[in-house]
Amino acid sequence: MNTAVTIAGVTFQNPVMTGSGTFGSGMEYSEFVDLNCLGAVVTKGVANVPWPGNPTPRVAEVYGGMLNAIGLQNPGIDHYLAEDLPKLKAAGAFVISNVAGHCDDDYAAVVEKLADSDADMLEINVSCPNVSAGGMSVGTDPVALANLMDRLRPMTDKPMIVKLTPNVTDITVPARAAVEHGADALSMINTLKGMRINIRTGKPIIANVTGGVSGPAVLPVGLAAVYRVRTALPEIPIIGLGGIDSGEKALEYLYAGANAVEVGAAALFDPVAPLRVARELDDLLDSRPELAAKLAAGQTWR
């Protein structure tokens, strides 16, 4: 069956992508996964300069998932353009470059360099602590998000996805701000803020104190976010993520109103999870031709 999906005018061969930060540059997994069999490879967040990330320990287990405060460690945009992106394109991958920054100038510097690159789409991660927004995530402030998008949108013709944080009262508010100021699509959700305590010391396990919770436990939160935003913004393409480790869970996101999905934390313990989910979802869509037809036409079930 044809499982192609259309998002922001771009056709993907299937609706399953990797989640940024869980699949590295993509090439690390190329010996396990045929990259051109995925809808897209969403690469690890890239900044204008190399970021060392947060101090260790920065990963902890939680019930139904994991807690991490990696801090978007990455080698910077110049290395990405010279090494990672060319190798991914040579391997036949459709590449979505995830963009990170600590202020509007950081984001702009990355987008400027990606504007004429071989990246197919950009995913703007607005969950980073933003120094120009008082240290809070720009994605929690619709005014700051609108200002950022006003800065970035004129810089490139590449389709631009905004990745939303769930750490807000009403996710439809930043979603609307992103769309009204130039986002071609939305992805949701990023990780939930959480922490663990070492009961022997009484101190947080993570050196950064708090981190992002991901994995199966966040599935209901991600589904609710997609459902709410789809209801509020019926026309915008949505990529759902959070807790997907099977074709069945991916299908839940499609029924909630997503056009496609990203497989994140599951790839950290099973490198072939994104491809497995794609195959399982393909089998499920075989018996749901009406849903597959809607996705191919750029529509959703809802």
Side-chain angles (χ1 to χ4, degrees), residues 226-252:
V226 168
Y227 191 93
R228 292 191 68 191
V229 173
R230 172 57 65 221
T231 302
L233 300 167
E235 302 301 323
I236 190 70
I238 295 174
I239 302 168
L241 64 148
I244 299 172
D245 57 12
S246 69
E248 288 83 358
K249 291 176 181 176
L251 184 61
E252 287 192 60

Side-chain angles (χ1 to χ4, degrees), residues 42-86:
V42 185
T43 53
K44 182 173 175 60
V46 61
N48 58 323
V49 295
W51 285 3
N54 290 324
T56 59
R58 52 190 189 181
V59 177
E61 184 178 0
V62 300
Y63 182 79
M66 64 174 290
L67 176 72
N68 90 86
I70 303 299
L72 288 165
Q73 179 180 344
N74 73 94
I77 185 62
D78 292 336
H79 179 277
Y80 179 80
L81 290 173
E83 299 291 335
D84 298 335
L85 185 56

Side-chain angles (χ1 to χ4, degrees), residues 117-294:
S117 73
D118 288 334
D120 295 289
M121 301 178 82
L122 308 182
E123 182 181 63
I124 311 301
N125 176 11
V126 295
S127 302
C128 311
N130 194 286
V131 295
S132 61
M136 68 179 181
S137 160
V138 69
T140 65
D141 181 349
V143 175
L145 177 53
N147 290 337
L148 175 63
M149 290 304 297
D150 285 345
R151 175 84 176 272
L152 301 182
R153 182 66 278 176
M155 298 180 67
T156 179
D157 292 330
K158 292 186 185 297
M160 195 174 290
I161 306 162
V162 171
K163 186 173 186 178
L164 297 176
T165 174
N167 299 307
V168 292
T169 302
D170 183 355
I171 198 170
T172 67
V173 176
R176 192 178 300 278
V179 172
E180 290 178 350
H181 291 265
D184 299 293
L186 302 171
S187 58
M188 64 190 78
I189 55 173
N190 210 324
T191 55
L192 288 160
K193 184 175 288 187
M195 69 182 299
R196 291 290 313 273
I197 300 291
N198 183 332
I199 61 172
R200 291 184 294 276
T201 64
K203 296 180 180 180
I205 293 175
I206 298 286
N208 195 60
V209 180
T210 62
V213 180
S214 60
V218 308
L219 175 74
V221 181
L223 287 169
V226 168
Y227 191 93
R228 292 191 68 191
V229 173
R230 172 57 65 221
T231 302
L233 300 167
E235 302 301 323
I236 190 70
I238 295 174
I239 302 168
L241 64 148
I244 299 172
D245 57 12
S246 69
E248 288 83 358
K249 291 176 181 176
L251 184 61
E252 287 192 60
Y253 271 98
L254 299 185
Y255 278 134
N259 300 76
V261 298
E262 292 180 15
V263 178
L268 295 173
F269 63 84
D270 176 10
V272 301
L275 189 56
R276 175 177 52 77
V277 170
R279 290 170 175 163
E280 291 173 358
L281 182 58
D282 181 78
D283 290 341
L284 290 167
L285 289 175
D286 278 344
S287 61
R288 295 164 174 83
E290 69 286 355
L291 174 55
K294 283 180 175 288

Side-chain angles (χ1 to χ4, degrees), residues 13-14 16-18 23 33-41 274-275 278:
Q13 65 174 329
N14 67 63
V16 179
M17 312 172 189
T18 63
F23 209 68
V33 178
D34 188 350
L35 300 180
N36 63 16
C37 289
L38 294 169
V41 173
L275 189 56

